[in-house]
Every structure is written in C-alpha cells, then in structure tokens.
C-alpha cells in the first residue's frame, strides 16, 4: 500500500536530534513475532512520544491518508528506517541460515501455509498434521480443528523437522494436542559422558518424523457402535 501514502517523510531522528527532511521512507513487512533489543524498544517509545519522531510522523501520515498498517509492517518500517537495521542477524546467502550460527535456519519453527496447487488447480497439502477434535476446542484457546492455512499444532512426529531448523522457539504447542512433545523439550544434557563429548542439546533429540505413508489415529473401540455398523 506504499502507493497510498507519501514515499518521502520529514522527521526528527530521536537518537541524534537531527532533522531528516524529505527522506525516502520505504514501507517494510516482517513477522509479528519478533525478538527486540532493549535499545530498539526504547527508540520506538521515544519515536512515538516525540511529536516529530518517525513513529509519530508515520502514524499521523497513515491517519491523514486513511490507511491502516499492521504491526508486521509498522515495527519493521521503524526498524529498517533507523540505524537499528544493522542489528538484524546476517544470513548466509546460500541457505538463509544465520551467518554466526549455521545450524540455525530460523529463530522460530512453525508449520504454516503448506498447501500448494496441484495439476488440477486444487490447493492441497502433502504432509500429515495434527488435527484437533472439536471436543478439545476449550483446551486449545478455542482453536478447534486445524485450519487449512495453519499455523498447525506441533507434536512428537514434528521433532525431526524441529531439530533440522535449529530454531530457538517453536509454535504452536499444546498439552491437549500432544503432551509428549512438551515432555521432550527442552533437552538438558546431564550426564558427564555427554558433557565430555561436547554434545549439543539438539544432538540429544531423537530423529522422530511423520511416517512416509501418513498416519491416522483411531479413537478407542466402542463395540456397541461396531455392532450397529
């Protein structure tokens, strides 16, 4: 929606007190799940508190143009139009892993938007996933059955992919969906032998994955129902 708002803004840099006049201010988009430094959070607060700070100017500009902006764009735009853009983790150009932590492909692992169009133009998914019976809706904050686009609840069968990602955080996890994954994480290396071998926590995790042919979980037998069928 950059076309609906000015591409250049004038504002006060609340870090230096310098006026930035008619500066190109592109709009950025990122995740709404973010890990922010104390310094950047302090910058955002000052930018919003100062009447001519970038945060305030951007907010007033959006209101004047009758344009709404999500949190995924607002914080990313403030970050990328400030010196704090240099604090973003550097990525490996080949596999997008973190340059300083090559085993980490993502800060957060989640399963989402896995559907793709097939030869007939129908959107389908190829991987099994945990579904939530309607009776568990109250135990999963009202989530109920899995939505086509996700994010899907994770369970023990996802552990292998979680391990591959090297992520620091995972979502979504619930005791009522698969309590085994909650029991499995986090991993703590306790034995002296493991410490001597310098094993990482990831190395201790078993490589558990979804069965290649898929899996269905059958509810307990109710013989009266079977006789009726």
């Amino acid at each position: 929606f950059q076309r609906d708002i000015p591409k250049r803004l004038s504002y006060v840099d609340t870090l230096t007190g310098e006026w930035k006049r008619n500066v190109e201010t592109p709009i950025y988009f990122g995740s709404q799940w973010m890990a922010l430094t104390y310094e950047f959070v302090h910058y955002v607060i000052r930018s919003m508190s100062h009447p001519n700070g970038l945060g305030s100017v951007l907010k007033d500009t959006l209101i004047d143009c009758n344009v709404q902006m999500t949190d995924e764009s607002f914080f990313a735009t403030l970050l990328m139009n400030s010196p704090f853009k240099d604090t973003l983790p550097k990525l490996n150009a080949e596999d997008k892993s973190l340059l300083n932590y090559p085993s980490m492909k993502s800060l957060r692992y989640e399963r989402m938007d896995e559907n793709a169009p097939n030869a007939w133009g129908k959107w389908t998914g190829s991987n099994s996933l945990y579904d939530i019976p309607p009776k568990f809706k109250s135990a999963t904050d009202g989530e109920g059955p899995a939505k086509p686009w996700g994010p899907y609840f994770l369970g023990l069968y996802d552990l292998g992919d979680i391990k591959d990602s090297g992520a620091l955080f995972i979502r979504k996890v619930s005791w009522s969906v698969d309590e085994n994954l909650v029991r499995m994480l986090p991993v703590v290396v306790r034995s002296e032998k493991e410490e001597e071998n310098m094993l990482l926590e990831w190395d201790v995790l078993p490589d558990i994955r979804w069965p290649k042919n898929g899996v269905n979980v059958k509810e307990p037998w109710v013989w009266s129902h079977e006789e009726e069928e």
Side-chain angles (χ1 to χ4, degrees):
F1 52 80
Q2 178 87 41
R3 66 180 182 276
D4 297 322
I5 63 175
K7 294 180 173 56
R8 292 180 174 273
L9 298 176
S10 297
Y11 57 90
V12 171
D13 185 339
T14 53
L15 290 175
T16 64
E18 176 187 0
W19 264 100
K20 302 282 188 178
R21 299 186 183 278
N22 199 29
V23 176
E24 187 173 354
T25 312
I27 302 299
Y28 290 86
F29 181 85
S31 171
Q32 69 174 165
W33 301 90
M34 56 193 89
L36 305 178
T37 64
Y38 171 84
E39 290 78 13
F40 177 67
V41 172
H42 185 64
Y43 168 78
V44 171
I45 294 173
R46 291 186 60 183
S47 179
M48 296 297 297
S49 301
H50 195 295
N52 295 313
L54 175 57
S56 293
V57 171
L58 181 59
K59 180 191 73 172
D60 293 340
T61 301
L62 293 170
I63 293 174
D64 292 341
C65 296
N66 196 27
V67 172
Q68 294 182 336
M69 178 180 284
T70 63
D71 48 351
E72 292 97 328
S73 289
F74 188 79
F75 288 101
T77 299
L78 289 184
L79 176 69
M80 294 304 295
N81 287 286
S82 77
F84 290 98
K85 65 181 180 182
D86 296 328
T87 64
L88 287 174
K90 303 299 186 293
L91 300 180
N92 188 313
E94 295 182 358
D95 59 4
K96 303 304 180 183
S97 62
L98 293 181
L99 204 58
N100 293 335
Y101 302 94
S103 63
M104 187 181 297
K105 303 298 189 298
S106 173
L107 291 177
R108 182 189 71 256
Y109 177 82
E110 64 184 354
R111 292 185 58 187
M112 190 167 184
D113 295 329
E114 295 180 348
N115 300 315
N118 60 19
W120 295 272
K122 303 293 185 180
W123 289 77
T124 62
S126 58
N127 299 320
S128 299
L129 53 91
Y130 288 86
D131 201 2
I132 296 86
K135 64 181 179 181
F136 289 155
K137 188 172 183 179
S138 61
T140 57
D141 295 327
E143 289 290 341
K147 300 178 179 64
W149 55 87
Y152 315 126
F153 277 100
L154 304 177
L156 198 61
Y157 281 129
D158 295 301
L159 194 57
D161 290 326
I162 292 172
K163 182 177 180 179
D164 289 345
S165 74
L168 294 178
F169 307 97
I170 62 173
R171 68 183 288 261
K172 298 162 28 179
V173 177
S174 172
W175 278 98
S176 60
V177 176
D178 189 351
E179 60 190 37
N180 294 305
L181 182 60
V182 182
R183 290 194 182 102
M184 185 71 71
L185 299 172
V187 176
V188 179
V189 179
R190 290 192 177 91
S191 70
E192 294 181 0
K193 183 177 180 181
E194 288 174 335
E195 291 176 355
E196 290 174 0
N197 293 334
M198 299 295 290
L199 283 177
L200 299 175
E201 292 181 354
W202 283 118
D203 298 326
V204 183
L205 290 174
D207 191 26
I208 300 175
R209 300 179 186 271
W210 286 92
K212 292 183 179 179
N213 294 327
V215 61
N216 291 323
V217 178
K218 184 173 178 59
E219 294 185 0
W221 288 101
V222 179
W223 288 106
S224 60
H225 295 171
E226 297 297 326
E227 292 172 357
E228 292 174 1
E229 292 179 1

